[in-house]
Amino acid sequence: MTRRALIFWVTGVLAYFVAVFHRQSLGVASLEAASRLDLGASGLATLAMLQLLVYAVMQIPVGVLVDRLGSKRMLVIGALVMSCGQVVFAFADDLLLGLAARMLVGAGDAMTFISVIRLVNLSFPPRRNPVMVQLTGLIGQFGAIASTVPIIGSLHAYGWTPTFLAAAALGLVATVLVAAVLRDGRPSAVHRAPGLKAAWMQPGTRLGMWTHAATQCSAAAFMLLWGYPYLVQGQGLAPRPRACCCPH
């Protein structure tokens, strides 16, 4: 493992961390979103599902583009698109603007993880790839945890627009970091990548798709939308930690 490869990987992981932060930002803002955008349960569900639908549909075109443009360009584009989505969400006051914002977040998010995985494949020997990919996914998911307390606290302290403008600014920081640190060349054009049909015929491709579909639906529904309203309104938990009144 070279120092250069490690720096590139850390930069990519940070970009993915920020992408997961953006992805999960609606989950802890769902009650405020319902009030601001005048939405019921079906409207809130539409916001989250459209974001995930765009994310899923973009996987194949993003896979093609990342081989043509390289990881650095795709990570920069993805971070910028997500930041634009958060800016639109910061000023959204109806369902249409909210949908447009979450579509942008989903599109930018779709460009991130696969770009980091390609970066891992080019930077590390094959024997290290499985471990590095798993570490990438695990560390990136801490972005979901990092989005909870800051966004909840900011929403209560500063309101809707400043909170999501700050989230957009975080995306710009990730953009600058990726642009400044990564050095990514295009892959050689000598070997043509297999087509979509050939990729689908690989058992690993189908296993990966069905594993995600079968195991992540309930967790995604809880974290991306329904978990926070259920815990706050259904279970009566405080949205913010209460100050301790016990003597020390």
Side-chain angles (χ1 to χ4, degrees):
M1 182 184 300
T2 66
R3 182 179 178 183
R4 180 186 178 92
L6 186 60
I7 291 174
F8 285 178
W9 175 71
V10 170
T11 303
V13 169
L14 288 174
Y16 180 53
F17 179 95
V18 174
V20 176
F21 180 96
H22 289 312
R23 180 194 306 170
Q24 303 289 142
S25 60
L26 175 62
V28 292
S30 51
L31 295 177
E32 286 78 5
S35 176
R36 180 181 176 88
L37 306 180
D38 192 23
L39 301 177
S42 59
L44 279 176
T46 302
L47 287 177
M49 291 308 299
L50 188 60
Q51 176 184 328
L52 291 176
L53 180 62
V54 171
Y55 177 92
V57 170
M58 288 286 291
Q59 291 302 303
I60 293 176
V62 165
V64 174
L65 287 173
V66 74
D67 285 334
R68 295 182 178 179
L69 301 179
S71 295
K72 177 178 179 176
R73 294 184 182 182
M74 292 301 292
L75 286 171
V76 167
I77 294 171
L80 286 175
V81 170
M82 284 185 285
S83 292
C84 290
Q86 296 288 43
V87 170
V88 174
F89 207 49
F91 294 102
D93 56 5
D94 58 33
L95 179 59
L96 289 180
L97 279 177
L99 290 175
R102 301 322 295 181
M103 288 176 66
L104 288 172
V105 172
D109 186 14
M111 302 177 190
T112 306
F113 184 69
I114 192 171
S115 299
V116 181
I117 296 308
R118 178 183 176 275
L119 192 65
V120 169
N121 291 335
L122 295 178
S123 301
F124 296 95
R127 61 187 177 85
R128 293 189 181 273
N129 281 359
V131 173
M132 300 308 295
V133 169
Q134 290 300 316
L135 284 175
T136 299
L138 289 173
I139 296 173
Q141 292 306 311
F142 280 102
I145 300 174
S147 70
T148 55
V149 175
I151 289 182
I152 294 171
S154 180
L155 283 170
H156 285 86
Y158 305 108
W160 180 275
T161 299
T163 295
F164 284 98
L165 287 179
L170 181 63
L172 293 179
V173 171
T175 303
V176 172
L177 180 66
V178 169
V181 175
L182 287 188
R183 297 291 181 269
D184 184 30
R186 297 185 184 183
S188 173
V190 174
H191 303 289
R192 289 184 58 85
L196 179 60
K197 182 178 179 180
W200 176 251
M201 294 305 295
Q202 294 293 325
T205 303
R206 301 193 297 275
L207 176 63
M209 190 197 76
W210 291 117
T211 298
H212 277 72
T215 62
Q216 294 192 356
C217 292
S218 57
F222 187 88
M223 292 188 296
L224 288 174
L225 187 61
W226 299 120
Y228 181 75
Y230 169 73
L231 293 174
V232 173
Q233 293 189 334
Q235 297 298 312
L237 299 179
R240 292 182 293 175
R242 294 187 177 94
C244 181
C245 298
C246 301
H248 294 282

